[in-house]
Amino acid sequence: MIATESIEQMANELFLAEKSGMELDQLVNRYPHLDVELAYEVQQRLVDRKCIEEKTRVAGWKLGLTSKAKQEMMGVHEPTYGVLLQNMQLYSGEPISLAPFIHAKIEPEMAFIMNRELRDPGVTVADILAATEYVAPALEIIDSRYRNFSFSLLDVIADNSSSSRFIIGDKFTRLGDFDLSLVGMVFKQNGKIVATSAGASVMGHPARAVAWMVNKLALTGQYVKPGEVILSGALTGAVAMKENDVFSCHFDHLGSLDVSFTE
């Protein structure tokens, strides 16, 4: 089938672009039959190949385009999701080299660590909170493989929603008598505040974004497993990094996280 061959070809282009650090042209301009369903099939084929060739495994999931501003900018009405792999995880005590990236950016997130399987459709915010073992501060490094960081919704879905690396803080907090939507966050670059935000910036409540994703996964027979990490979506716009930059995010109740970058 032409679609099957195209899926393989698109996944191959994205895989090689990341490996070589070379940008590629948008897929939508070269594969006119690409739609949302096919884009997620490309994403899955890309993830499967990375698991095999990089000898890694799925660590969890991530959401993108969770803010109204980003959705309006992209001309869409819902978020996207992507897959996190174990070899994408980095740690705050280790300086991060910029060498592997094409044009990476960093953004603050809340990380949900799940304690049960979420397989069935109709999942609610309450279901997500009940299935959450811990919440932790996180930073995600996104890195589109497209030329000039320019892409359509279908392109970004196929590109695993720009997934690249993620860092989770050392403090793991059980949900208690505080509302995640009201949790404030300060994002700093080299000690200077670049943005402030709160959990409500992610679809009104970060668990709402996670619930949306679980319900979307159920449509294709996929599901969240116990122990998986879910990044619920950026609380601010993404910021480009340069050599010697230090970024930090501080969340009320949840703690802080900082990372530094080298050449």
Side-chain angles (χ1 to χ4, degrees), residues 113 134-137 168-173 251-256:
I113 294 86
Y134 303 107
V135 180
I168 299 175
D170 295 330
K171 181 182 178 182
F172 293 81
T173 302
F251 290 83
D252 297 337
H253 301 288
L254 305 182
S256 301

Side-chain angles (χ1 to χ4, degrees), residues 185-231:
M185 188 278 310
V186 178
F187 186 36
K188 293 183 179 181
Q189 179 182 17
N190 302 323
K192 296 181 179 180
I193 295 174
V194 292
T196 59
S197 188
S201 64
V202 179
M203 295 179 66
H205 194 298
R208 183 169 292 115
V210 178
W212 173 88
M213 185 197 73
V214 171
N215 290 325
K216 282 291 185 180
L217 290 175
L219 297 177
T220 56
Q222 300 179 90
Y223 58 97
V224 170
K225 300 179 179 66
E228 288 187 337
V229 175
I230 302 174
L231 301 184

Side-chain angles (χ1 to χ4, degrees), residues 66-134:
T66 52
S67 74
K68 278 294 182 186
K70 282 192 175 182
Q71 288 178 19
E72 289 172 1
M73 182 178 68
M74 294 294 293
V76 300
H77 64 280
E78 65 179 22
T80 67
Y81 62 83
V83 181
L84 300 175
L85 301 175
Q86 290 178 351
N87 65 349
M88 293 180 180
Q89 185 168 6
L90 302 174
Y91 300 91
S92 60
E94 304 171 0
I96 299 169
S97 171
L98 295 172
F101 305 116
I102 300 173
H103 29 46
K105 299 183 180 183
I106 191 168
E107 50 193 28
E109 311 241 356
M110 289 185 188
F112 287 66
I113 294 86
M114 313 311 293
N115 64 17
R116 70 183 70 167
E117 183 179 286
L118 291 169
R119 181 188 290 266
D120 298 326
V123 166
T124 66
V125 169
D127 294 329
I128 296 302
L129 296 178
T132 299
E133 185 75 13
Y134 303 107

Side-chain angles (χ1 to χ4, degrees), residues 17-23 88 90 96-105 140-145 162-167 241 260-263:
E18 182 175 0
K19 283 294 184 185
S20 65
M22 300 293 289
E23 300 170 293
M88 293 180 180
L90 302 174
I96 299 169
S97 171
L98 295 172
F101 305 116
I102 300 173
H103 29 46
K105 299 183 180 183
E140 184 186 9
I141 300 172
I142 58 172
D143 189 20
S144 171
R145 269 53 73 166
S162 300
S163 296
S164 184
R165 305 289 191 276
F166 67 98
I167 309 100
M241 306 95 74
S260 60
F261 292 90
T262 62
E263 187 176 5

Side-chain angles (χ1 to χ4, degrees), residues 7 10-11 14 27 34-48 61-65 78-83 153-162 212-213 216-217 219-220 222:
I7 289 168
M10 286 185 276
L14 289 163
L27 299 176
L34 186 64
D35 59 18
V36 169
E37 183 179 353
L38 280 176
Y40 276 115
E41 289 187 37
V42 174
Q43 178 188 119
Q44 186 58 56
R45 181 66 191 96
L46 174 64
V47 168
D48 290 344
W61 307 84
K62 61 149 288 182
L63 284 120
L65 302 179
E78 65 179 22
T80 67
Y81 62 83
V83 181
L153 173 69
L154 302 178
D155 290 311
V156 73
I157 290 172
D159 191 25
N160 198 19
S161 289
S162 300
W212 173 88
M213 185 197 73
K216 282 291 185 180
L217 290 175
L219 297 177
T220 56
Q222 300 179 90

